[in-house]
Structure formats: structure tokens, C-alpha cells
Amino acid sequence: MITLMNKQQIILAYFNEGKALRAIARETGIDRKTVRKYVRDYEEKRRQLFDSNKISSSLEIIDAIVEEPKYDSSNRGKKKLNDEIIARIKFYLQENENKKAIGQGKQLKKKIDIYEALIEEGFDIGYTSVCSAINAINDKAKEAFIKAEYSQGDVCEFDWGDVRLFIAGELKYLQLAVFTTAKSNYRYAVIMPKQNTQCFQESHAKFFEHVGGVFKTMVYDNMKVAVKKFVGLNEKEPTEGLLKLSIYYGFKFRFCNVRRGNEKGHVEKSVEYIRRKAFSNKDNFESVEEANKYLEEVCLRLNKILQTTRDNKSAIELLEMEREGLLQNPPIFDSARIEEPRVDKYSTILIDSCHYSVPDNLVGKKIFVKVYSNRILCFYENEKICEHEKKHGFNEWTIKLEHYLKTLKKKPGALASSLAMKQIDPRLQKIYQDYYIKREREFIELIQLIYEKNLEEILQAIEVLKKINPIDITTEKIKAICNRGEIRKEKGLTNDISSTSEIDKASKRMLNMFSELIPTSNEDFREEVII
């Protein structure tokens, strides 16, 4: 390769020392034709320099005279880097992409690993050549981005993000629905159980309710709940769920191009930002509702931060200015999915692989069900019959004991081992264990009484009876205590159903007469009963 110094030696030897081309070639070891090329090129440039009257032309000629020798290697083929080796390199690069897709991002081949794999396969290639080939394959032209300017209330972006939280001690895989306004950079997020249509619609309804208006344009990527299918190369057909939202709230929507997350860059960053700020330090909650309340507080704190790129105003201040440009917010959208299942022989309905109980007089009948993201409402003949918290697992059962009172009256022996018994309030389970074993029919009557009154009143009545006689607690006596409390309330007397009255005092005097006939402690009492 001819260097700038070689070029200088050739020119000075020919023009200053008067040496012949052959002699110069012999001394420098450079081919005579190459020596002749540089001499003639120099003579031509010098002639042009003296003949030129334009400064710009002179500068170009000077640069050409003193520039370092260049070689056109565009048509020169690689001696060792052939098509077969390139194909193997592309194979290993694709293998890396496949590993990324299944979560094996820490098990990828680096350049040195690909080189070593090629050597093991018997290819004769250098490490530098392999690196150059990989860089050439991965090289992509950098694109320019155009900064967008948004008007008030114009654009809001939406995206999903997953989050793993401990809910009541159990690790749950949940979804984060995130909204970010383009103008004010206001962030809103809500935890949803899944990325389905109900959660998609419900999150939008909550967001519009939260900000008090509707943005004119919503921006989405190619998520399944928004894009039904691709039509041609660039056109996308929206889902029915998105169309319903758009019609109801009156907003337009647009989709990003494939693999162009920058087209909704506000929310792309917001998902990671909110998830990190909210749950990097705290990830343990008693319920999803508690987690959402905490998330709302975090978003409020983030939205209060002053933004230097937006005239040192907070997102809350900017959103307040944006509200003038928002569309009017109608009553909140009902995002429920409608189903009409038939009640099976267990007096349950099947919704999304999970069973929910309904009153046992509806076995064999069809009912009307509204399915929301976290609850289901059941109706029969236009009347609401029950409500359940929605389960998100597989083959889970939600049973309410009050739905089986009619059946249990006929089959009281089934109560103790029933799933309904295992799912009732632990306080009720304790009442059963303490006072109603082998008295299931009477316990069923107590359940009916609880739903006429309330559990707190029943517990209070039991405490009163325990002071009188701890081993003689019956449903009839509990009902009498509760009814006496209702009468006292109607007469405007104290609500304390354990308060003394003339009858109470007389009863206690009579009981005291028998106090010496019975043991003074519960433990002694149990021992004598056994005897």
C-alpha cells in the first residue's frame, strides 16, 4: 500500500533529483507503473493550479495534490470471508434473536463466541473479519426524527405493561394500563388483571373519568385488544371493543407502525418509569384495590414534579390548561361483557373457566350476567340476584352459603363437608364448631337470620347468652335477643341489647339461686357433662 510518505519520495526524487522512473521504482520497491501514475498526476495538478484563476478551484487542486493515496476496494472480494461463512454468521445472529424472544437474553453468543464456533466448524477466518462481518450485518441506517408539537387536549397515548406483585401473600402476574398525555406529559395508571377487552375498556373509562374529559385522539401500538387484523401492508382494522369506545366517547384513534415505539414515545417511557417508581420499593399488598390506591398516590406525586422542558410547570398544571380543549366526558362507559349461562346442578354458573354460585332455586334456568374485570353481576327476570368478585385462575369455585339454604334444609348433613362451609366467614365457622355440631338444620336457620339482621348483631347476641348460660345457645334464643334489641330501638331506648331491665334483673336473681348447683368454671362444667 502506497503511503503519503511514499508519494512524497516519488515526487521529490523525480522533480528535484531528476531520477528516472525505473530508478525510483527500483529504490522504493514500488511498481514502475505506479510511480509513473503519481508523477503524471502531480504534473497535471500543478499545471491546473497555475492555470486556474478561481480561489475555490485552486483549493480543490491543492487538496488533490497533497491528499493521501486512495484505493478503490469496492470491487475487491474477500479472500476468506465467503458466502458460506456469512450464512453461518447470520445463523448465529438469528439464534441470538430466538433466545431473546423466549427470555434467554443472558445466554447469547458474543462476537468472540461466534468466531470460536466458526473455527470449531473448520472455517479459516480471522476474528477481525468476523467482527467486521457482524457489524456490517447489524448496521442500520440511522433515521431522523421530527419533533412534534401538540395542541391542547389533542393527543393521549396508551400502552400495557406487566407487573408482578404479592397480593395477600401470593405472587400475582398483573397488567399495568398506562395513559400519557402528549402535551402536558400527565401520567395515569391502573392495575388490571388481564389484557382483555373488558380491562381495556374499563381502564379508558376510568382515565376519562379521572381527567374529567376526553382527548380528541388516542394512540395505540398493534396490541390485540385494539387491532383486529392487518389489511395490506399498513392498514389495520380496529377491534369491536375499540370502535365501541371511540363511538361512545367521540375520540379518533391511530396506530403506530410496526416496531415503531418512538411513535408513542411518551407512554413507552411512562410504563417503565411508573412501574419502577411505584413498585421497585413496595410490591406487597393485601388486595389489588390497595395496590391501585397506592399507585394513584405515586402518580399524583410524579405529576406534581416541575418539568424543565415545559416552562417549569408540573403535569397537573399543564393538564388543567388542557381541559379547555378536551371533549365533554359522558357518563362512565359500561364495559361489561354480557353472557347468559345456564345454572348447573351445583347451582353455579361457569364464567371464564370459574364457577360462581347462585340461589339454588335457579338450577336449570338461564340467567343474565354482566362480566367486568374484577366482578360479575347476576340477574334473573330483571332483578339482581347476586354479585361475586371475579376470579382469574382456572377451575376456581366461589360459593356463598346463603345460596344453598333451601337445599341444605333438605340435606343438612351435607353442610359440614360442603365447599360453601369452607368459604364462609371464619367467625361463622367458629360459631358452628362451638355450638352447632350435629345441629346443622338449626345452624342453617341461623344463617337465614344473619342475612335478615347482620353478623355483628348475631355475635353480640351470642355474647349476651354466654354470660347467662354458655352451653345453651340456640338459634331461637339468638333470635329473641336480636328481636328484643329491635323493639328497644323502636321505643328509643338504648341500643345496648345487653343493658339491664327489670326483667333482666329478675332473671339474674333466679339464675343466682341455681349458681351453687352448677360448676363455677367452664372447664369444670365440661368435666361434669362428660361424667
Side-chain angles (χ1 to χ4, degrees):
M1 179 181 290
I2 304 299
T3 64
L4 188 60
M5 181 171 289
N6 295 140
K7 179 178 178 179
Q8 181 247 11
Q9 290 174 349
I10 291 170
I11 290 171
L12 293 183
Y14 184 82
F15 289 100
N16 291 0
E17 301 174 14
K19 293 183 178 179
L21 298 177
R22 191 182 297 275
I24 296 172
R26 187 170 54 252
E27 292 176 2
T28 60
I30 298 172
D31 187 86
R32 182 162 55 89
K33 293 180 181 179
T34 303
V35 172
R36 181 187 300 112
K37 172 185 175 299
Y38 280 105
V39 168
R40 290 179 178 177
D41 185 63
Y42 182 78
E43 287 179 328
E44 178 61 22
K45 293 295 189 295
R46 292 271 295 184
R47 185 186 61 77
Q48 292 176 6
L49 180 64
F50 288 112
D51 290 345
S52 176
N53 295 322
K54 296 181 180 180
I55 296 178
S56 59
S57 299
S58 298
L59 292 175
E60 291 177 1
I61 296 169
I62 292 171
D63 288 340
I65 291 173
V66 300
E67 71 179 355
E68 189 171 357
K70 295 180 179 179
Y71 296 88
D72 182 12
S73 59
S74 58
N75 295 323
R76 185 182 301 171
K78 300 286 185 180
K79 290 184 178 180
K80 295 185 177 181
L81 188 63
N82 53 37
D83 292 341
E84 187 179 4
I85 294 178
I86 291 174
R88 292 303 295 166
I89 292 174
K90 288 182 177 179
F91 168 79
Y92 288 122
L93 294 177
Q94 183 59 48
E95 185 180 61
N96 282 349
E97 293 299 320
N98 295 340
K99 287 183 178 179
K100 287 181 185 178
I102 60 174
Q104 294 179 305
K106 296 182 178 181
Q107 297 167 233
L108 307 183
K109 281 186 172 67
K110 294 186 176 182
K111 292 176 181 177
I112 184 65
D113 301 314
I114 294 176
Y115 164 72
E116 290 173 354
L118 291 172
I119 295 300
E120 287 180 7
E121 291 181 23
F123 292 105
D124 182 15
I125 186 73
Y127 176 63
T128 305
S129 298
V130 172
C131 292
S132 299
I134 293 173
N135 292 337
I137 293 170
N138 290 333
D139 186 35
K140 296 180 180 178
K142 294 182 179 180
E143 57 181 318
F145 299 99
I146 301 173
K147 183 175 175 58
E149 185 63 34
Y150 303 96
S151 58
Q152 303 283 9
D154 186 19
V155 175
C156 180
E157 300 169 359
F158 172 83
D159 201 5
W160 292 108
D162 60 273
V163 60
R164 290 171 173 81
L165 301 176
F166 287 96
I167 304 297
E170 183 180 353
L171 185 61
K172 297 281 188 180
Y173 184 82
L174 301 167
Q175 302 300 321
L176 205 60
V178 181
F179 297 82
T180 306
T181 64
K183 180 72 174 176
S184 60
N185 201 35
Y186 185 89
R187 296 180 173 100
Y188 173 84
V190 60
I191 298 170
M192 287 287 163
K194 293 185 178 181
Q195 288 188 23
N196 58 19
T197 299
Q198 283 72 47
C199 295
F200 177 73
Q201 293 178 330
E202 191 173 321
S203 62
H204 280 68
K206 288 183 176 181
F207 170 67
F208 294 140
E209 193 76 10
H210 173 77
V211 298
V214 180
F215 284 80
K216 298 182 182 72
T217 304
M218 295 297 298
V219 182
Y220 308 97
D221 60 16
N222 299 289
M223 58 186 68
K224 291 182 179 180
V225 290
V227 178
K228 182 178 180 180
K229 64 180 179 180
F230 284 76
V231 182
L233 293 176
N234 299 312
E235 293 298 319
K236 294 126 183 168
E237 182 180 331
T239 60
E240 183 179 331
L242 175 56
L243 287 174
K244 287 180 178 179
L245 273 179
S246 175
I247 292 169
Y248 183 76
Y249 285 107
F251 63 80
K252 297 179 182 178
F253 55 83
R254 63 179 172 83
F255 300 110
C256 299
N257 290 314
V258 178
R259 298 188 182 91
R260 285 293 181 268
N262 59 282
E263 294 180 5
K264 57 177 181 64
H266 297 89
V267 76
E268 286 284 335
K269 295 178 181 178
S270 291
V271 171
E272 185 275 333
Y273 182 65
I274 291 175
R275 180 170 51 203
R276 176 166 49 85
K277 291 294 184 182
F279 302 119
S280 61
N281 293 323
K282 184 176 181 180
D283 60 3
N284 204 321
F285 304 91
E286 285 301 315
S287 65
V288 175
E289 289 73 21
E290 182 188 337
N292 264 322
K293 186 176 180 181
Y294 167 75
L295 178 60
E296 185 178 354
E297 294 170 356
V298 172
C299 288
L300 177 63
R301 186 175 70 247
L302 297 177
N303 287 322
K304 287 181 178 179
I305 298 173
L306 300 181
Q307 304 178 77
T308 56
T309 57
R310 289 173 168 81
D311 300 326
N312 216 34
K313 294 182 183 297
S314 69
I316 292 179
E317 294 174 306
L318 294 171
L319 178 64
E320 194 62 38
M321 298 168 60
E322 274 203 272
R323 284 200 171 95
E324 297 180 2
L326 297 178
L327 301 174
Q328 185 177 4
N329 188 32
I332 193 165
F333 180 77
D334 190 349
S335 59
R337 182 177 90 245
I338 304 302
E339 293 201 10
E340 294 186 72
R342 189 179 297 277
V343 181
D344 63 21
K345 65 179 181 180
Y346 298 108
S347 193
T348 66
I349 56 172
L350 186 65
I351 302 292
D352 296 336
S353 303
C354 293
H355 293 262
Y356 303 87
S357 68
V358 297
D360 53 6
N361 63 314
L362 298 176
V363 171
K365 294 181 172 61
K366 277 192 172 185
I367 65 171
F368 180 83
V369 180
K370 298 179 75 172
V371 183
Y372 293 89
S373 64
N374 284 309
R375 63 192 178 113
I376 67 169
L377 304 180
C378 303
F379 300 83
Y380 182 69
E381 294 183 346
N382 297 323
E383 290 188 8
K384 181 180 173 182
I385 54 175
C386 63
E387 178 177 345
H388 289 282
E389 179 184 347
K390 191 174 187 304
K391 299 293 184 181
H392 299 285
F394 177 75
N395 198 31
E396 294 188 48
W397 290 65
T398 299
I399 303 297
K400 292 186 176 180
L401 188 60
E402 65 266 29
H403 292 161
Y404 297 89
L405 296 181
K406 176 184 173 183
T407 301
L408 288 172
K409 282 183 178 179
K410 297 178 182 178
K411 306 173 182 178
L415 175 64
S417 60
S418 68
L419 182 59
M421 189 65 182
K422 292 180 174 61
Q423 293 188 358
I424 63 173
D425 191 303
R427 293 174 295 178
L428 264 178
Q429 291 182 12
K430 188 174 189 310
I431 291 173
Y432 173 79
Q433 294 293 332
D434 290 346
Y435 311 112
Y436 285 94
I437 292 178
K438 303 299 184 182
R439 295 164 55 197
E440 283 77 12
R441 195 181 299 277
E442 196 175 340
F443 183 71
I444 294 166
E445 293 175 359
L446 178 67
I447 299 298
Q448 285 181 309
L449 180 62
I450 287 173
Y451 292 107
E452 291 173 9
K453 309 291 185 179
N454 61 70
L455 181 56
E456 295 301 328
E457 194 171 346
I458 300 301
L459 292 171
Q460 193 175 4
I462 291 174
E463 288 301 315
V464 173
L465 291 171
K466 283 169 65 177
K467 293 177 182 178
I468 298 172
N469 189 345
I471 65 165
D472 189 19
I473 294 176
T474 66
T475 301
E476 284 301 319
K477 291 182 179 180
I478 294 172
K479 185 184 296 186
I481 295 290
C482 292
N483 289 339
R484 188 181 65 180
E486 291 297 323
I487 293 171
R488 295 181 65 80
K489 288 178 184 177
E490 290 177 6
K491 291 183 177 181
L493 301 176
T494 176
N495 290 332
D496 184 6
I497 63 175
S498 64
S499 62
T500 60
S501 64
E502 291 301 321
I503 297 175
D504 292 336
K505 292 176 181 178
S507 299
K508 288 180 179 178
R509 282 195 300 270
M510 293 178 66
L511 288 171
N512 287 334
M513 296 173 63
F514 298 100
S515 62
E516 296 180 359
L517 301 177
I518 61 175
T520 57
S521 70
N522 290 343
E523 187 63 33
D524 293 338
F525 194 97
R526 290 193 187 95
E527 290 178 2
E528 294 205 8
V529 169
I530 294 172
I531 293 170

